[in-house]
Amino acid sequence: MPETPQRTDGPAGWLDRAEARDGAAGWLDRGESRDGAAAGDGGFQERHDRCPAGGAAYHANADALASAGIGHHHIPGPRDPAPRTPELWPAASGFIRAHHAEERLGDPSARLAEVYGQVADTGTYRHTERELIFGARVSWRNANRCIGRLYWNSLHVRDFRHLTAAEDIAAACTDHLREASQGGRIRPLITVFAPDAPDRPGPRIWNEQLIRYAGYVQRDGRVVGDPRNEGLTALARRLGWRGGDGTPFDVLPLIVQGTDDKPRCFDLPPDAVLEVPIEHEEFDWWAGLRLRWHAVPALSTMCLEIGGICYQAAPFNGWYMGTEIGARNLADTDRYDLLPRIAERLGLDTTSDRSLWKDRALVELNRAVLYSFDRAGVTVTDHHTESRRFLTHLDREERKGRTVGADWSWIVPPISGSATPVFHRTYDTTERTPAYVQHPEALARASGEFPV
């Protein structure tokens, strides 16, 4: 699991780069929209720019449908009804065949015929629970910008597709955070809400992550808090949020839009937001900076696309890689921009870049993040360990005959890149489905620019 040109803090290594998006156990912290996954192994379809994924033209004749995956149980003929959304069928049939092949479920013909009938009658189809779990996990495995994919098969899937109302979704998201945090033993988790349908959009979560810190714009243009969220903060105020205490780390409310509804604000209760005070093991003055960060990087604007079905509301998380917090969220000049303050307290010469004051301050900030999470008993990984784990993931997948796609610019950590083994190699950049996809309109909602 997907934060535009910056990375995201993420589950066990979603790295945090160029425009920062906090990720999940390796989901990078960026903001560039992801266009999706291309042709893959085992019959996965190429993904295209719009949902539903797929995009190959529908063939009405029996031979073409048979080659697309309809088996001997039922081969639609000229009198069979054509699907109401013909572009959905190639993606659906490709996914069903891939699922049956990888999990050794036998002949997919009966399931293909069932799905074909649903698509022909309603314009969509419903995944079984087993298909949903498989699709969500493989979407993580297919995430080219995630370094933390070694544990893709451990993702726990919460099936909440029956929920469409904003208040119910907000409550389920709150429970998601509680279940994912587990007192500090962070659990990779996804909660899947109702998908888009031809006659009805699914729900939307406007926050880029379930937990985001407010950005309050002052009269002189300065921002107290996270500048990345100033638009979302202003939107929350317009929707009735009274604001927090005015600190740099006020937790924003969830902004949720139910089916056939307008976006609404829902405060997150304190027990659902596990936070870690950031201190340093050597410098006593560090505590005076009053820094902290949340423990669960739950991405909530990325669309889960499985076999042509789009789950626009499907928040998911892993755990943080320390650099996503220390080298991106707290350090980027368009985020908390803490390096000058830390360098001053360290007594470093900031008059010239040649003193490497930024590098030295950056290392100490990242040391503080790892030390603080460890002391609090909260799961976090470091970029050296996660780089080695990623190469283990590559080896495992290659032994199973699967090619791993990866984006070098996102996989290489934002500090000490050449000191990690992921730096010294190239990667297949092919994108595959199912996938977590970042649509431009979701980014617009998260920035508060989307019309209410």
Side-chain angles (χ1 to χ4, degrees):
M1 65 195 222
E3 275 169 330
T4 356
Q6 251 180 320
R7 291 197 208 182
T8 79
D9 340 339
W14 289 69
L15 303 183
D16 206 13
R17 266 195 200 180
E19 214 180 6
R21 242 173 147 205
D22 326 284
W27 295 72
L28 307 184
D29 204 358
R30 260 191 202 183
E32 258 173 352
S33 62
R34 268 183 83 195
D35 285 339
D41 309 304
F44 288 118
Q45 304 291 313
E46 283 194 16
R47 77 165 295 287
H48 297 265
D49 291 337
R50 296 185 301 276
C51 293
Y58 171 72
H59 302 290
N61 65 75
D63 290 340
L65 282 173
S67 67
I70 290 290
H72 61 276
H73 290 166
H74 176 67
I75 299 178
R79 296 186 180 181
D80 284 291
R84 285 166 51 185
T85 53
E87 70 276 11
L88 176 58
W89 173 243
S93 61
F95 170 72
I96 298 301
R97 286 185 286 112
H99 179 216
H100 279 249
E102 183 166 330
E103 297 207 329
R104 300 180 181 179
L105 300 179
D107 186 356
S109 298
R111 177 59 178 152
L112 285 166
E114 180 182 19
V115 169
Y116 180 86
Q118 291 181 22
V119 173
D121 291 342
T122 69
T124 187
Y125 70 104
R126 181 176 176 84
H127 290 125
T128 66
E129 185 173 11
R130 187 167 185 173
E131 289 167 353
L132 183 69
I133 293 171
F134 174 78
R137 288 175 175 173
V138 175
S139 293
W140 185 3
R141 189 177 79 196
N142 286 339
N144 283 15
R145 294 177 174 179
C146 177
I147 195 175
R149 286 177 268 171
L150 178 61
Y151 307 108
W152 67 271
N153 209 27
S154 68
L155 180 67
H156 180 67
V157 180
R158 302 170 76 226
D159 184 356
F160 280 64
R161 288 177 288 173
H162 60 287
L163 297 185
T164 59
E167 57 269 23
D168 295 333
I169 292 167
C173 288
T174 299
D175 289 339
H176 175 116
L177 291 171
R178 293 189 181 109
E179 185 173 337
S181 61
Q182 298 187 117
R185 297 184 61 186
I186 309 301
R187 179 184 195 182
L189 185 66
I190 183 170
T191 300
V192 184
F193 297 108
D196 284 347
D199 58 347
R200 193 180 191 190
R204 304 287 192 270
I205 300 170
W206 287 49
N207 309 58
E208 195 172 31
Q209 293 191 27
L210 296 184
I211 302 172
R212 275 312 210 189
Y213 293 122
Y216 302 108
V217 181
Q218 309 299 296
R219 291 183 177 179
D220 60 2
R222 292 182 306 108
V223 176
V224 173
D226 192 343
R228 183 170 181 82
N229 302 321
E230 62 180 68
L232 193 66
T233 303
L235 173 62
R237 299 297 292 267
R238 293 198 301 272
L239 293 176
W241 185 55
R242 296 184 178 181
D245 296 330
T247 76
F249 299 99
D250 288 355
V251 176
L252 281 167
L254 285 177
I255 300 178
V256 181
Q257 183 175 8
T259 298
D260 302 324
D261 197 2
K262 291 186 177 181
R264 296 160 57 191
C265 283
F266 299 89
D267 287 327
L268 285 169
D271 72 302
V273 182
L274 178 62
E275 294 180 287
V276 177
I278 307 299
E279 299 183 2
H280 199 286
E281 61 182 324
E282 293 182 26
F283 306 118
D284 293 338
W285 53 262
W286 201 285
L289 297 175
R290 297 183 179 180
L291 306 179
R292 64 178 184 266
W293 204 260
H294 58 91
V296 178
L299 298 171
S300 48
T301 57
M302 297 188 82
C303 176
L304 172 62
E305 294 186 8
I306 304 174
I309 301 298
C310 298
Y311 299 95
Q312 300 278 2
F316 63 92
N317 71 273
W319 50 80
Y320 271 116
M321 189 162 77
T323 53
E324 297 169 343
I325 302 170
R328 301 309 313 282
N329 300 330
L330 295 177
D332 280 355
T333 55
D334 59 351
R335 300 292 295 282
Y336 281 82
D337 193 21
L338 288 174
L339 297 187
R341 288 180 61 191
I342 292 171
E344 181 182 4
R345 296 302 302 267
L346 290 170
L348 303 179
D349 176 13
T350 60
T351 61
S352 172
D353 288 342
R354 293 181 67 84
S355 69
L356 300 186
W357 65 269
K358 295 177 184 177
D359 309 71
R360 295 167 68 184
L362 191 62
V363 167
E364 295 305 332
L365 179 52
N366 279 271
R367 287 184 63 201
V369 169
L370 295 175
Y371 166 76
S372 300
F373 271 67
D374 288 346
R375 187 180 64 167
V378 174
T379 304
V380 71
T381 187
D382 65 87
H383 52 293
H384 296 286
T385 299
E386 209 56 47
S387 294
R388 292 193 298 271
R389 288 174 178 170
F390 183 68
L391 296 189
T392 298
H393 170 67
L394 291 183
D395 290 341
R396 286 185 183 178
E397 291 299 301
E398 288 171 0
R399 285 198 300 269
K400 293 179 180 180
R402 294 194 290 256
T403 301
V404 177
D407 184 335
W408 188 95
S409 67
W410 285 64
I411 295 299
V412 175
I415 62 171
S416 306
S418 63
T420 64
V422 295
F423 179 91
H424 302 278
R425 57 172 297 161
T426 59
Y427 302 95
D428 175 19
T429 59
T430 303
E431 294 190 333
R432 297 168 173 84
T433 60
Y436 296 104
V437 180
Q438 186 71 80
H439 295 297
E441 61 270 22
L443 291 173
R445 283 191 291 268
S447 66
E449 298 172 359
F450 203 79
V452 177

